[in-house]
Each structure stands twice: as structure tokens, then as C-alpha cells.
Amino acid sequence: MPAVTYLEAIRLALWEEMERDPNVFCIGEDIGIYGGAFKVTDGFIDRFGAERVIDTPIAESAIVGAAYGASLTGLRPVAEFQFMDFIACAFNQIVNVLAKSHYRWGAPAPLVLRGPSGGGVHGGPFHSQNPEMWFVKTPGLKVVCPATPADAYGLMKSAIRDNNPVIFFEHKFLYRRIKEELPNGGGDFTVPLGRARQARAGRDLSVITYAAMVHVALEAAEALAAEGIEVEVLDLRTVLPLDREAIAETVRKTSRAIILHEDTLTGGLAGEIAAIINEEAFDWLDAPISRIAALDTPVPFSPPLEHAFLPKVEDVVREARRLRAW
Amino acid sequence: MPAVTYLEAIRLALWEEMERDPNVFCIGEDIGIYGGAFKVTDGFIDRFGAERVIDTPIAESAIVGAAYGASLTGLRPVAEFQFMDFIACAFNQIVNVLAKSHYRWGAPAPLVLRGPSGGGVHGGPFHSQNPEMWFVKTPGLKVVCPATPADAYGLMKSAIRDNNPVIFFEHKFLYRRIKEELPNGGGDFTVPLGRARQARAGRDLSVITYAAMVHVALEAAEALAAEGIEVEVLDLRTVLPLDREAIAETVRKTSRAIILHEDTLTGGLAGEIAAIINEEAFDWLDAPISRIAALDTPVPFSPPLEHAFLPKVEDVVREARRLRAW
Amino acid sequence: MKKRPASKARHNGASRPAAGRNGQRPADQERRYRIPDWRLERPQFHVTQKRTEAGEVRYSFTGDLDLAPPPIRESGYLTREKSIELYRWMLLNRRMEQTLETLYKQSKVVGGVYFGLGQEACSCASALALGDGDWFAPMIRNQGALLVRGFHPRDVMMQYMAKADSPTHGKDGTSHYGDIAQRNMVSPISMLGDLIPILTGVALGARLQGRNIAALTWIGDGGQSTGVTHEGLNFAAVQKLGLVLIVENNLWAYSTPTEMQFAIEDLAERAIGYGVPGMIVDGTDACQVFDATLEAVQRAHRGEGPTLIEAKMMRMKGHAIHDAAGYVPPEMLEFWRKRDPIARFEKHLLGKKWLTPAQNRELIAEVERQVDEDRTLAEASPMPDPAQAPKGVYCDPGCHPITLKYGGVKPARRGGAKLKQSEAALHFR
Amino acid sequence: MKKRPASKARHNGASRPAAGRNGQRPADQERRYRIPDWRLERPQFHVTQKRTEAGEVRYSFTGDLDLAPPPIRESGYLTREKSIELYRWMLLNRRMEQTLETLYKQSKVVGGVYFGLGQEACSCASALALGDGDWFAPMIRNQGALLVRGFHPRDVMMQYMAKADSPTHGKDGTSHYGDIAQRNMVSPISMLGDLIPILTGVALGARLQGRNIAALTWIGDGGQSTGVTHEGLNFAAVQKLGLVLIVENNLWAYSTPTEMQFAIEDLAERAIGYGVPGMIVDGTDACQVFDATLEAVQRAHRGEGPTLIEAKMMRMKGHAIHDAAGYVPPEMLEFWRKRDPIARFEKHLLGKKWLTPAQNRELIAEVERQVDEDRTLAEASPMPDPAQAPKGVYCDPGCHPITLKYGGVKPARRGGAKLKQSEAALHFR
Ligand SMILES: Cc1ncc(C[n+]2csc(CCOP(=O)(O)OP(=O)(O)O)c2C)c(N)n1
Ligand SMILES: Cc1ncc(C[n+]2csc(CCOP(=O)(O)OP(=O)(O)O)c2C)c(N)n1
Ligand SMILES: [Mg+2]
Ligand SMILES: [Mg+2]
């Protein structure tokens, strides 16, 4: 099997799940004949028909509400947001209806809300956000942010098969920038939700991160290795539920931690992880936990501004040196 | 001046601001003749007329959008949500329009979104939430959560006079349960946004908290004082922007910190504060930071379940003892 | 190239003058739409905010108060037996709510109590018009619908008392519960309008599984202002899904009169903008509600899409038990008290001799017995164990089998389309 | 007690049969509404998803393709001078967008480019109908409106090139900027429909300050499905605020035809459900757009509330520059190419001898010069300084004086009402 991009891995997983389980269907804006703004569902309508690849009016609350309704009849809808920024338009349905469904009245909501998020593509304030924390803050949801094609594939399959509402953030910067061969020779496999992945082993310092920033961390780790600093990179993959053990384990091993995310700093996931480290590995810590995140601003449009906004390899390198010297 | 309740303090501040500045007006559901679900604006329509106390259709996005529009013409709208749970229905307008307004195109949005939040009143999953983290996570907003009548009064005045969108969470459990005399003999005063308040001084341990939990912390501090543990209670008052210095200062003083909030644990403010403490006072810490928060569930309705859900005095006492013994 | 007739029949029977070719027409073209109105009287009310001489702003009222209550409109569908069943549900609905009020006064209720007083015909008759495979999602005033669809008064009572044996085991209160396994009921959601796209989705799910079902929900004159109402109804219309939307126009939304919620006479007019059939019924006339809903349900079963039914009536109590509704002009209550849906239907049944006074007394007594029994059972239920609080947020593996309500999707297998390579939006390279 | 006439005049001139008193009426009562349609032709198109013989799902098209393009409808308001001004704006709009396309091809644009090709009449004529104190908020295809309201082509170009001197200094791109100080323009927002309640609020703010203004915004055939569209328009209708909502029905919403966005013929029909005047114009006819908007603006100024104008036309390019729009049936483009708004208006002006061919050539040349000059200026602007990235999130003290656009609120001082004690909702004790 040839290497596939991150985007192709998602398409493949979605396609295979629709082949495997006729109760999986797609719903969203422009996903039919057009195949979606990013072409994730290109050709799906030809194979599965307009009944299972449903082009909707521009109405995110209706999409989420209808997906939830269909899930109550036993189906497994996969709803696309053209950009994850627009998930804000369905926010109430997600946090108040979907997230509380099982707790309130025992109704599982086996559905997936997916779409492109993230910056670095000069999309500006409305097409670049990382809105995962709105949902990490909401019990009852699961939130997935894959960093690699293999994980995107395996996590998508798990998300579709899960009996809970899963929000699946596809990082649009990665869509066509990274490629890899899928394990298992291209055969079906899943990646469990809620489990982090060691993206690189190291003994001196842990960088805990997810999504596009995994690649920034790995690049920084390369650079730091040349200086003799061996960085361990933990890719969280799922940000709700978090893999507490994996976080504890890496910090207990290295005693120094950087938390890195593309989302803005304040209220970002780094705080949550800092608290977890504190709870699980306080006695192991040899230096303060360092947070590296985007600036606390909307995502600016112009490349020099966006570059200043986003966390960079040199930020990680600098912080790693500082912590090492603590 | 007689002692006023938390609710009366808010009413008074709002009333006085409307008297002082004719460009302040109120907008919301049932706020006119009825005076609002909690009667915060009772009698306002008689004094200020239906023009400045505007009863709207049930349409939270329209309320927020219209308030923002009016603010662009120089007015200072104060929009009421019947329950802050319904702020989810205006979420997109708040995080994408209001929060980004000044950064994107330089338009200040001097408005206040206010309403009752919080549990302990058996309101169930849709009438008890603490949704502050959705907004703390969003740069461009300010978020206020007062714990006392005096702060509610002084912060409301500051919020109305501020040139940014301020979300003002009134804790409905406190509305009529606490009373105090306002400082300044009932004359006009403000409490600055972004400044915490030492609610109790102590040397052994800091409890950092806000809103209704301030009173839980103070009760626990009383109990602990009897055991010789002197607890300092820091009332954050404003949760965005956070008062980093005050947080750092109290932890540097006591070397032990509990962060306490009524919001659910994961993704709650405690994580953010844990990270700040870590960044500002790592070398002072003698024990891991402890987080006490509500269960990671929707707010259950039945009293025994809600009691189990909410953080309690005994939780603080137990954690304080544990940290003391670390 | 086939031309589309300019005045093709549309859902609501809309018609307009045939399009002239390049000919200028008068600027005031008229369009005609059928909005059937089955009411036997059409009172007009008007409530506005006015400053009184004392300088206070209060509601000022004008309206048709001198009308004599009309008879019940004969049903085209209700048999004697079904009529009595319906009457019984209405009695049960009211009696249960009276008991809730008592329980509240005895401080046995947690939180408030919501009532459907004066709206029992609307809740019960519409629910009764549903078929077995159909779905529904009540709003807070449709507690009667729960009974019709197989829940017991004790279920509602236990919810209000937050008991361990309530349908949600204390996790939620009031009529906020549901049942996807047996009764095809989606739990109410406080956020007004949210149920509309959800019920649309239920109908979509069923259709994907090969069944055209009806999916019924209610929305208030106030709640219809929410955006999600628009999104849900429009999507149902575009997809021709069997949503049956009953707009309960009870003249008030909490403290706000309809005049301040919308600028049209009849909410049925909203149907026009979605291209769906819209109509008006008297919400205090059980026959009108039943017939209209039944026809909408039949339309749904035939795959003809959604229907909007505006039911006009009056909220006969405050918003909830805490609300004395002092803002409501008393004349309005007076007017509608003469139109009590149960009294009207009782008179109708007695008048038709479908019910004798003796049978009637027995029925009432039996309903009271049932409610009293249920009340005893409900009170006996314990409060939930606090250890349950953290449980059940997720449907963990094994927690629920996902049941395909209509047997699952049988996909039409098509050609050999294969997954092919694809291009992403270019400007986001 | 004053009775309200049953068929009182409503905004859209709706009428219905007078209410009979307790008399049964036929079940198909007709209602009549005036939806003026000023178009001089009324082509019908119909696009559906169909499976081709090759097994692919594609759009299938039927429609009135054989109509000859109609003349421009004579304006009741546009003078010769104003007409030429309007024509000039349309030329400038198009020329600017052509230049943006060039800049894009030269990789000088950051992100994509959006075009209003074929929609210039709609953007420019509607903006031109506004008065000085009125407000507007463009959507992405209304770049012409920015020019009409006093921005320069270089502003738009610099936005697209993300330059330091662009109106947002690189913080945002495309036509996403605004100006509350001078040009009364609210910045576009990507989330479709969000501008509608905002413009309603602008009109509310002005009215509180004693001025009835018009507040104009546009929404697409696709964007009107969003809930916020409904909430905003309904609120404007209830409050009788001077919102002027131009529904740009350009037959496509990204890749989705109108048939899949709504189930009615004309989006103007939506006006009925809000009780506001609704009408239809040919969006490629600058005179129709101008006159309709002007009358709506005048209505707003008289305090008569909102107006919904549906402008029918065609999106003549893809959704944005990356989109080749292969899904659009080519016949549709062909049909509308013959209705190019600029060519039609040019012919109209030449035909009326309001413009000589020589003047026309000079005008076009001048517009080209202006765009070229602006392009040079725009290209010369530097990229923003990264140090600006963290700045400006908040309006810190002193950062902006809050200017009262219409002099502030002059409250009617009333009696001696004092703040009195009050009760909270009881069941939340
Ligand atoms: C989105 C939303 N906003 C506000 C509320 C608070 N609220 C609950 S019921 C109600 C009034 C509802 O009026 P209506 O829809 O007419 O229903 P009725 O109570 O008359 O049956 C309001 C404002 C809510 N539940 N949801
Ligand atoms: C709430 C929301 N959902 C999705 C989008 C993505 N989107 C941008 S433009 C567009 C199509 C808009 O179509 P229409 O409203 O007809 O405007 P047109 O492009 O035809 O002018 C979509 C789906 C958006 N901007 N906002
Ligand atoms: Mg109502
Ligand atoms: Mg369009």
C-alpha cells in the first residue's frame, strides 16, 4: 500500500466504515456532488448515493440536531463542518443536547462531528481556530485531534464505532502536508480513543502536545538532540478523555515538561495538563512546567502576524534549554 | 444604608448606571413589565421606559447581535440572559463577533452580558451551569464572577463602564442568601476588573476561588482555624483577565494551594491557575496543587445527587489537611 | 428542455399569476396561499405596553370578549371509543397536574411545577393521533402527551420529586425524560426549539431505514422565535421529512405577549416561507387538534413532508408555579375559562350521548383513583443514592446496544465506484 | 372595548376573509399577500441531483433558457448624473476584482479571492441608495458596496494582500473590515447571517438616540437558512427597525443549488412570516435594485420597519477563486452571461443618450487608471510588523473614545419611580 496523506487517511477510514456499516452516513454542507470544501467526501455520493451523503442547507444547528435525531434511531451519522470555526453555530446543540444525552436520560448518541481546524494556512480569524477547549470543558463529549495519517485513520474508525458523541478535529495544515504508509498493510485497524502515543522517546524532557504541534515538537527534538538534550514527545491524540497515565509516566521519567499547543494560551489544554502533572508527578518535577501556546488573540490573517501568533520550533528549543538549565 | 443582598446590589448598580448615563440600556427576555425571571430589573421599565428596558423575543443570538450593533453606535447595552445556560444559544455571536471585534477591525464593543449561573438550587442540567470557561478560553472577552454584594455592585459598574464585552455571571445561589452593607456609605464606587481580593488572610495554605465557592472556602477556613491551620482565601472576582500577581503572591506566602471552583473539573479554571502557580511560584511550592471542583458530569437535578456533584466544605477541609501533612 | 410551469402546485397550495414573458406587471402582484383555519370562532386580542396614569408601564388589553363559546367541531376520525379514550387522557393530564400542585404545596416537589392547564386538548389529542412507529418529543406543557404515549402519572410525579425510581433516576427533573427503546420519545430540552431539528433527524433516520414516520413536537409562540426553529423546519421542508410541528400559541411567552414576539397575526403564516402546509386550529377543541394532527401524520406517512399546525389557546396559569401571572389581563383568563378544553369536550360527549353522566362520573373517579395510587407509589420511592452522581456520563462499551429502530439501512449497492484521489481547497494550500 | 378589525392592514398588505362569528368556513381559506415582483422576465430554473448513466451523481438542469434578455426597467429616481455615478461604481467594482484576480495569479494575494461578478448591480445600486447617516454591512460579494461608501480599491487590495496599511493592518483579510467613525460600516463576519441582528441593533441604537436610520445588509440564498437570520429579521420586525435585508439569490450556495436550500419558489415569500414587506427584483438590473432599496430606505427613515428584497441573479464564478464551479450546468452561466449587469446598464445609458460612446470610453479608461494607481499604492505597502500581533485584543482605557453616533440618548424623565425591593423567582429559592 502506498503512503497516504492525512486527508486521504481520513477519507479512507470514512469510506471503509461506510462500506462496512450501512448505518453510517454523512451529512453536511457541500459534501455531496462537490465532495466537501476540502474534498474529504469526494466521490462518496457516487458510491453511497444522495441518501447517505446528505447535502444540507447552511444550518449547523440543524445538521447537529438532525444527526443526533438520526442517531437515536440507531444510525451512526458523521457530520461535517465546512470549517470547525462554524461549530460555534451549533454550540448549544452540542454542549446542551448531545453531551448531556446519556447522563440525563440514558440515550447514547453515536455520532461524529468532524471538520478542519487549525491555523498556519492564512485563513484568518474565522477559518483557523482550534476550538477544542470549548468541548474538553464539557463532560459527555469525546474530543480527538490526530497528528498523523495512521492515527487519523485509526481514530476515525474508533470515533465512528464509539457510542458517544465524538468531535473530530482534522488539522487542515496537515491535510496534504504529511504522508505515511498505514500500518497493517492497509487493512482495517483502529486506534483506541483516550490513549496517547509516544511519538519520540527521550530521557531529559517531555514535550506533551497534539495535532499539528506534534510535528513542531519532533522538529525541535531533532535540533535539541544535536545539543545532547533528549526530548520525549508525547502525542495525546485524544484530548478528552485525556490519558493521565501516559502524561504521568513521561513526566516521572524526564522530570521536566513542556506542554505545547496551537490553541491560545489562556484556558487552553496546557493548564489542564499542568494540573494533571502536578497531581500525578509533583515529586518528580525538577523544573516548572512550561506552556507554549499561541498568543492570546484571535488568529491574525497576515503571514508575519500569524507566524508571530503560532508556536514555533525555536520556542520549544528555547524553553527546553531553559528547563534543562533549571 | 441598610445591608443589601447580592441581587439588590446588582439591581442598585444597574439602576444607578442607568440614571447616571442615559446611554446605558437593558435588553432581554421578560425584563420589562415582569422585571426579569429573577426580578433584577423589577420596576426599571417604570422609571426608564420601554425604550431603555427592551423586552425581546426569545432569541439569544438576536439579543447579543442587537446589543453589539447598538454598542457600535456608542451606546452601552446590558443584555440579560434568563439563565446563563442559554448563553450557549448566542455562543457564536459572542466568541466570533464580540470577542474579535476590536482586534479584527478596531471596533470596541462596550456591552455587558449578564445573568444567573451556578447550582445548588436544584435547577437541573439546564439551569445550573457555570459556563465561564467557554469565555475564559476566548481572548477579547472579560469575565466577571463576583462573590459578595459589594463586589457585585462595584464590578457591575466597572463592567458597564468598560469598553470591552464583559460577561457577568451572577451566582443565583447567592442572589438572596448573602447580605452586606455596601462600603462608601451607599455612594457610588467601583471595583476594578482583573483584580483579586484577599477574602481572608492566612499563612499556611491558600484557597484560590471565586463566586459561590468563596463562601465554602471561608467556612472551611473557619473550621481549619480551629485546628490551627490558617487558610488564606483569595477571591479572584474576575476570571478573565486573571490577577496573576495576586495568585503568585498568596502562593509564595503560603507555599500550598487549593484551587476551588463550582465548575466541573476537567477544563475548568483550576487548570489554568495551576499552570500560573507553576510558572510564578514553582520554587515556593511545598506540596502539589490541589484542585477541588464539581464532578465531571452535567449538573444533576436531585438534591442528593447535586450535593454529591458540588464541592463541599468538607472537601476543602480534607484537602487542606492532606496538603498540610505533605 | 422541459419548462417548469410558473404556477406549479406547491405544498401550501400557493398560487400566483402566471409569469408574463417580458411584460411589465403591476407592482402589487398578489399571491394566494391556503391557510385552513378550522376554528369556529376567531377572537382577536391585542396586548401592548402602555404607561398608566400612575406612571407605571403595564399591559393594556383590547379584544373580542363577548363571543359565546363555540361548540366542538365534529371530528372526521374520532370514534366514540377513541373519543372517550381521549377524554380520559385529558382528565388524567389535569388530575395529575392538580396532584403535582398539591405535592408542591406540601414541599415534596424539587424545583417548580409546570402546568398545561387549558392546553390538555392540544397535548393529548395530538399525541393520540400518532401511530406506533411514530416519534414525539414533548415540551414542558405537554405532560398529557406522556400519558397518552404510555408513561404513568407516577413517572412524572417521581421526576418532579427527584426520586430514584423516576425515569431519569433523579438526574433530571420535570418531564425531562425520554425513551428510545419503547415509546419513541425524545427527552425535552430546555433550550426552546432544539427539538425541531432533532425530530427532523429522527424522521431522517427512519427514512434511511425505509420507513416514512411522523415525528411530532411542539413549540410555543415564544419559542418559535429561536433560530433553531427556523433551521429545523427548513431542513425538514427541503428533505420532505415527516416533522409535525404544533405551534402552541397560548398568547404568552412567560410574561411576554405574542405581539412582542412576532409581527404577524397567525403563526401559521410562517408555513408559507418554508413551502409547507400550515393551518390553524382551536387548541381547546380536542377534535380539531386530533383531526389536524392525524392528517399531518398521514401526510408524513405518505412521505409528503412536514406540516405546521398552529393551535390557538391560552396558558391558564403562570409560566410555572412560582409565577402568579399578575401581568396577564384578567379578562383574557375569564374569556378562556369559558373555553376549558375538558369541559367543552365533556359537554360534547354528553351531548352526543357517547357518554352518560354516570359513565362520566365513573371515569372521573377512576382517573382520580389511578392518580392517587400513582401518587402513593411515587412518594414511596426513595431519593437517589449519591453514589450514582458520577455515573452514566458516557455510554461505555457494553452499556447500551445500539438498536436499529427500523431494521437498519439497506443500501442500494451501486456500481464499482472506488475511492479515488482528491484535491483539497486550493487556497488553503 | 375597542375591537380590532379582523382584516387590518398589515405590512405586506396581507388580507384575508373577515372572520365569521361562530360560523364554519371552508377549510381552504385563502390568504393574499402582495409580493411585488419588478422583474421584466421570470425565468424558471430547476436543478436536482440525478444519477447519470455512468453511475455518478450530478446536477441535472431544466429551465427557461430561450428568453431574450429584457431591457432595464426605468428608474423612478435615478437622474442622469446619479445613473452615471452608479455605472462608474459598477465598473470600478469589476475592474478592481479583475485586478485582484491578476494579483492572485501573481501570488501576491494571501488566501483566496471572492468575486461579485454578475452581482455588481446589486452591490453598488443598493449601497448607493443609502443616505449619509445610514449604516451597512457587506458580505463577501459586496465589494462594490465598499467603493460606493467611500473606501478605495487599494483598501480592498491591501486587505487581500494582508498589508500593513490595509484597513485592518493585516489582522483580517478580504473585505473583512469596517469603519464606525466615518463610513458607518460594520465589518463582515464569516458566519452567515450574524450581521442581520447586528444591523438591527445598529438601527435600534440610532432610534434610541432619536434617529430612524436604514441599516442595510445582504444575505445569500444559502445563508438565509441560518437561524440567526430568522432571529434578526423577526426582532427587526417586532421592533419596527429600519433593517433593509437584501437577499441575494444567486442560485448557488457554494456548490449547492437553491432547490436544496429551501422549498419555496421565491425567498421574498419569507417576508410574509415576519409581517414585513417583501419583494423581488432582477439583481442584474441596477435600476430595479436602486429603486427598491431606496424605497426601503425611505420606509426605514419613516420608522416603518424592515424590508426584505430578493434580488435574483447568478454567481458568475466559483465560490472563490479556487473553485472552478464544475458542478454548475454551463447553460445557466450562458443564460446569465447575456444578462451581465454592467453591459445591460451600459446599453441602457447609451440608449438613453445619457452617455455617449466617447464619454463611456473615457469613464472606463479613468476607472482603469484609478485601479492601476491604487494597485501600485497597495503593492508598495509593507507587510505588517510581527510585533503588532499581540496588540489590540482589548480596547484598553484611552484606546478609543466611545462616540455617540447620533448625539446620545435623551431620556424622557419620568415620575419619581424609585428602586424598590424585589422578589426572586420563587422556585429557585
Ligand atoms: C433558548 C431559550 N431561551 C430562554 C428560555 C427561557 N424560557 C423558558 S420557557 C420561556 C417562555 C416560553 O414561551 P412559549 O414558547 O410561548 O411557551 P409557553 O411557556 O407559553 O408554553 C422562556 C423564555 C429557554 N428555555 N430557552
Ligand atoms: C454559518 C456558516 N456556515 C458555513 C459557512 C461556509 N460558507 C461560506 S460561504 C458559503 C455559501 C454561501 O452561499 P450563499 O449564502 O448563497 O452566498 P453566495 O456565496 O452565493 O453569495 C458557505 C457554506 C459560513 N460562512 N457560515
Ligand atoms: Mg406561549
Ligand atoms: Mg448564493
Side-chain angles (χ1 to χ4, degrees), chain D residues 323-355:
Chain D
D323 172 21
Y327 48 82
V328 171
E331 312 93 290
M332 288 180 82
L333 288 167
E334 193 110 327
F335 177 89
W336 288 98
R337 219 169 274 129
K338 296 187 213 131
R339 284 148 183 86
D340 181 85
I342 298 184
R344 284 181 73 196
F345 201 52
E346 179 184 41
K347 195 171 149 201
H348 174 73
L349 295 178
L350 293 170
K352 285 172 81 82
K353 306 259 189 298
W354 279 6
L355 197 65

Side-chain angles (χ1 to χ4, degrees), chain B residues 58, chain C residues 119 141 219-223 248-254 256 258 261 314-315 319:
Chain B
I58 302 170
Chain C
Q119 307 187 198
R141 295 196 202 291
I219 186 79
D221 49 281
E248 299 191 295
N249 185 346
N250 62 5
L251 303 177
W252 294 87
Y254 207 148
T256 312
T258 51
Q261 304 282 351
M314 174 78 184
R315 191 192 72 200
H319 175 64

Side-chain angles (χ1 to χ4, degrees), chain C residues 62 89 92 105 113 129 134 155 165 167 233 254 272 338 382 407:
Chain C
T62 54
W89 292 127
L92 193 64
K105 287 183 182 146
V113 178
D134 296 326
D155 295 322
D165 300 314
L233 181 53
Y254 207 148
I272 295 168
K338 296 187 213 130

Side-chain angles (χ1 to χ4, degrees), chain A residues 89-279:
Chain A
C89 300
F91 189 73
N92 169 54
Q93 288 269 358
I94 298 169
V95 303
N96 279 321
V97 181
L98 275 55
K100 297 180 169 61
S101 179
H102 197 257
Y103 190 75
R104 283 179 61 230
W105 64 290
L111 53 83
V112 178
L113 308 179
R114 53 158 290 274
S117 65
V121 299
H122 318 317
F126 296 127
H127 294 79
S128 307
Q129 294 174 84
N130 290 286
E132 56 268 17
M133 286 309 289
W134 295 332
F135 306 106
V136 170
K137 187 261 160 302
T138 306
L141 305 173
K142 297 189 179 182
V143 183
V144 178
C145 299
T148 68
D151 281 346
Y153 174 94
L155 288 163
M156 178 59 83
K157 296 209 156 189
S158 293
I160 292 173
R161 298 177 194 180
D162 199 278
N163 284 350
N164 297 284
V166 180
I167 308 191
F168 197 97
F169 288 98
E170 303 167 3
H171 201 294
K172 71 175 86 67
F173 183 87
L174 300 180
Y175 265 158
R176 313 185 70 79
R177 274 194 184 74
I178 55 171
K179 239 184 170 148
E180 72 179 345
E181 261 183 59
L182 297 183
N184 201 21
D188 175 67
F189 69 94
T190 62
V191 172
L193 302 186
R195 285 274 209 305
R197 173 182 71 96
Q198 192 188 72
R200 179 187 173 113
R203 51 159 203 266
D204 296 327
L205 183 142
S206 303
V207 178
I208 301 168
T209 186
Y210 59 96
M213 287 297 124
V214 169
H215 304 281
V216 170
L218 289 172
E219 213 179 311
E222 278 301 317
L224 288 159
E227 304 178 14
I229 304 180
E230 284 303 332
V231 171
E232 179 149 308
V233 177
L234 187 72
D235 173 3
L236 292 168
R237 306 198 289 194
T238 301
V239 294
L240 184 68
L242 278 167
D243 189 342
R244 282 180 84 95
E245 287 82 62
I247 294 168
E249 198 185 302
T250 184
V251 179
R252 286 185 193 148
K253 177 174 166 193
T254 64
S255 297
R256 284 175 171 79
I258 291 172
I259 312 162
L260 167 67
H261 57 61
E262 189 186 301
D263 188 12
T264 51
L265 183 76
T266 301
L269 189 67
E272 182 64 27
I273 295 172
I276 292 174
I277 292 174
N278 196 281
E279 286 154 9

